[in-house]
Amino acid sequence: MKLDDLGNWRRTHKCREITEQLDGQEVIVMGRVGDIRDLGGIKFFILHDISGSIQITASRKKTDPETLSKMDALTQESSVAVRGKVVKARQAPRGVEVVPSEIRILNLAATPLPLDPGGKVKANLDTRLDARGLDLRRAEAIAIFKIRNQALKTIRDYLLSQGFIEVQTPKIVATATESGAALFPISYFDREAFLSQSPQLYKEVLTGAFDRVFEVGPIFRAEEHDTPRHLNEATSIDIEAAYLTAGDVMEILEELIWRAFDSVKRNCAEELRILNHRLEMPEKPFPRITYDEAIEKLNAAGININWGEDLSTPAERKLAEIIGGAYFIVDWPLALKPFYTLPKGDKLGDAFDLMYRELELASGGSRIHSEEMLVKQMKEKGLNPENFESHLLSYRYGLPPHAGFGLGLDRLTMVLTGAENIRECVLFPRDRRRLTP
Ligand code: ATP
Ligand code: MG
């Protein structure tokens, strides 16, 4: 079939803007075709755009043959433009419909579809991710990404209002920053390089010039685990600020999380309804418990953790049962935190994790700003300071004391949308088995 050109047609209205007030008016709407129904004498289809949907209705008797034959040729998910008249119609889903005078079929979708974006037939996650471009047309998927977008906008606005400057640091790097997580090696001309695990070292250096910086960008982790909360490429919201401590950036983080919840609750009521998710506002201030208190509570609850051990998944689940909601775990054993963590006394680091129930949302803390101490701690962690030579150079010229955190945007989106798998919250997730689409 020959397709039509868009030509000089442009939308006069989005679907949601077609209301009874426009009764009798001529409009042009564009979008994708949803449900198609044929009652013999009358043919309908639902047109969807990002704003919503509108019913297009043509009676066989009153519609010209060309428009009718186009109505007959339509398949679900095709892209179309419709010029027509708005008509009040009690039977239509929104009490109003468009009666077409001309239809342009801009692209025709193949049949059968690999999945039903209308959501009537449920597909499993793998099938959906294989056809992600189509899967993202589902109302639930659109709702997730609208919520993610709303949260990110709120966070960005807040950080900008607090004097943070948004930066972009290199993603091709020479060394590791998070000793725990593995690196993806890449070939960089005749040398080996890596994909960046976090903007940590760069953002620390930048506090010397810009005082407060933040970055929203990808982090790459060659972790082999297959869990509902880990991906090999994730998006992190990283901040770093001069002349502040862990306690100060915890307050910034708390405010930013609270505002993200609040703005999603106020601006995304329809999306939350589509996802059937009741978002409970966390109460400020979030509880702060020390690592010592956490293991005390766990040991009392029958989960044995020796001092110095990391909290296992069952331990995190138990803590979530005991404390619930959003809470901070502070004052970690230094050995469990990265080399750049500022020590607090002999054995502790001035570092924190922000948890939401059993999910770690963010990690942060006060950082070392003395070159000597940084070198000492690198050695203690089995890292070779020679590999960090260019980074250490910036410590020689009066780098200010500073603190910051990394907050996982994909994990925050899980919490805000009620998604149980992080893959739902990322457009094209990268995991152990998935590199396409
Ligand atoms: P976890 O213990 O859950 O594996 P982590 O402590 O290794 O996380 P950090 O290095 O502290 O992670 O990174 C800061 C934040 O970035 C985390 O709190 C999390 O929200 C997010 N993040 C880290 N790794 C991943 C990942 N593989 N997939 C998704 N998000 C991640
Ligand atoms: Mg962490």
Side-chain angles (χ1 to χ4, degrees):
M1 182 183 167
K2 198 180 156 293
L3 296 175
D4 298 310
D5 282 336
L6 182 60
N8 60 0
W9 280 23
R10 294 296 177 266
R11 281 183 174 124
T12 59
H13 296 79
K14 296 202 206 104
C15 291
R16 185 188 283 273
E17 292 164 353
I18 307 288
T19 59
E20 286 181 19
Q21 279 79 45
L22 300 181
D23 189 32
Q25 199 170 311
E26 179 165 278
V27 295
I28 297 178
V29 283
M30 299 184 192
R32 58 195 180 80
V33 175
D35 277 349
I36 302 171
R37 274 187 305 148
D38 193 341
L39 301 185
I42 194 159
K43 241 187 119 83
F44 313 85
F45 70 89
I46 304 292
L47 184 78
H48 297 277
D49 66 17
I50 191 63
S51 74
S53 57
I54 186 74
Q55 178 166 288
I56 312 292
T57 305
S59 90
R60 290 215 174 263
K61 275 200 203 124
K62 293 189 196 149
T63 309
D64 73 274
E66 198 189 334
T67 304
L68 265 185
S69 79
K70 285 190 179 169
M71 292 279 282
D72 286 334
L74 281 182
T75 53
Q76 194 188 339
E77 294 305 315
S78 296
S79 292
V80 296
V82 178
R83 186 206 290 275
K85 202 187 251 178
V86 178
V87 177
K88 269 197 231 172
R90 244 186 304 127
Q91 348 57 277
R94 290 182 39 234
V96 64
E97 60 192 13
V98 171
V99 174
S101 54
E102 189 182 342
I103 291 182
R104 293 187 179 175
I105 300 183
L106 305 170
N107 211 347
L108 208 52
T111 52
L113 296 168
L115 55 91
D116 172 23
K120 281 198 213 92
V121 191
K122 297 268 180 268
N124 69 34
L125 185 60
D126 263 326
T127 306
R128 293 206 279 106
L129 292 177
D130 284 342
R132 188 63 160 158
L134 201 56
D135 179 52
L136 289 171
R137 298 180 186 182
R138 284 181 314 115
E140 291 86 354
I142 292 173
I144 287 175
F145 289 95
K146 280 191 175 171
I147 288 174
R148 183 177 160 120
N149 180 59
Q150 181 66 38
L152 182 55
K153 179 189 180 310
T154 304
I155 290 171
R156 199 173 244 133
D157 287 348
Y158 178 63
L159 290 173
L160 291 170
S161 80
Q162 299 301 302
F164 285 82
I165 290 180
E166 185 163 8
V167 296
Q168 291 79 33
T169 62
K171 300 306 158 210
I172 303 177
V173 297
T175 49
T177 57
E178 312 299 310
S179 13
L183 286 161
F184 282 114
I186 54 169
S187 84
Y188 190 68
F189 305 106
D190 52 355
R191 274 189 287 172
E192 188 178 51
F194 305 96
L195 293 176
S196 161
Q197 296 168 305
S198 103
Q200 184 63 33
L201 304 184
Y202 290 106
K203 66 177 184 170
E204 288 190 61
V205 169
L206 292 176
T207 61
F210 302 119
D211 212 274
R212 296 180 169 201
V213 294
F214 77 101
E215 176 164 11
V216 182
I219 56 172
F220 303 94
R221 309 245 167 137
E223 295 160 342
E224 294 195 354
H225 36 220
D226 185 4
T227 80
R229 60 178 202 279
H230 287 97
L231 288 174
N232 297 108
E233 178 175 348
T235 300
S236 172
I237 301 171
D238 264 273
I239 82 156
E240 203 68 31
Y243 309 109
L244 295 185
T245 64
D248 300 320
V249 294
M250 278 163 66
E251 278 175 25
I252 293 176
L253 179 54
E254 179 179 82
E255 184 63 24
L256 183 151
I257 297 287
W258 190 89
R259 284 174 183 236
F261 270 72
D262 178 60
S263 86
V264 166
K265 228 180 146 79
R266 281 188 295 107
N267 295 293
C268 303
E270 172 65 7
E271 286 72 24
L272 290 169
R273 189 195 59 74
I274 289 170
L275 295 169
N276 198 12
H277 182 47
R278 245 195 78 233
L279 194 59
E280 264 175 59
M281 283 303 294
E283 258 178 56
K284 286 190 289 190
F286 302 168
R288 284 141 166 88
I289 64 160
T290 63
Y291 170 87
D292 283 17
E293 287 165 350
I295 58 173
E296 229 167 76
K297 282 186 202 295
L298 287 166
N299 288 343
I303 295 195
N304 214 44
I305 308 260
N306 295 320
W307 198 94
E309 262 179 75
D310 208 348
L311 303 184
S312 60
T313 306
E316 287 172 338
R317 277 209 198 105
K318 182 51 86 181
L319 268 188
E321 270 174 38
I322 301 170
I323 310 171
Y327 63 96
F328 288 104
I329 306 175
V330 302
D331 297 349
W332 285 80
L334 190 56
L336 290 179
K337 288 293 168 187
F339 70 87
Y340 46 78
T341 305
L342 188 69
K344 185 171 178 177
D346 295 339
K347 291 188 297 182
L348 300 182
D350 192 17
F352 62 85
D353 276 7
L354 172 67
M355 308 294 295
Y356 189 87
R357 305 210 175 106
E358 68 259 31
L359 193 64
E360 180 192 312
L361 289 185
S363 284
S366 306
R367 327 293 196 182
I368 293 172
H369 58 281
S370 126
E371 184 188 0
E372 197 189 329
M373 191 187 279
L374 193 59
V375 168
K376 180 169 162 267
Q377 222 153 268
M378 280 174 176
K379 287 184 182 156
E380 268 163 28
K381 292 263 177 197
L383 298 167
N384 183 356
E386 277 170 30
N387 295 339
F388 293 86
E389 220 180 288
S390 73
H391 177 59
L392 286 171
L393 210 60
S394 45
Y395 280 69
R396 213 158 288 167
Y397 309 118
L399 195 66
H402 54 278
F405 59 75
L407 162 67
L409 176 59
D410 318 302
R411 288 198 189 166
L412 177 61
T413 308
M414 289 173 77
V415 169
L416 293 171
T417 59
E420 278 170 12
N421 193 317
I422 194 168
R423 290 161 183 79
E424 304 276 4
C425 301
V426 172
L427 293 172
F428 299 101
R430 293 290 177 258
D431 64 25
R432 184 82 198 277
R433 285 164 295 117
R434 186 172 287 281
L435 192 52
T436 56

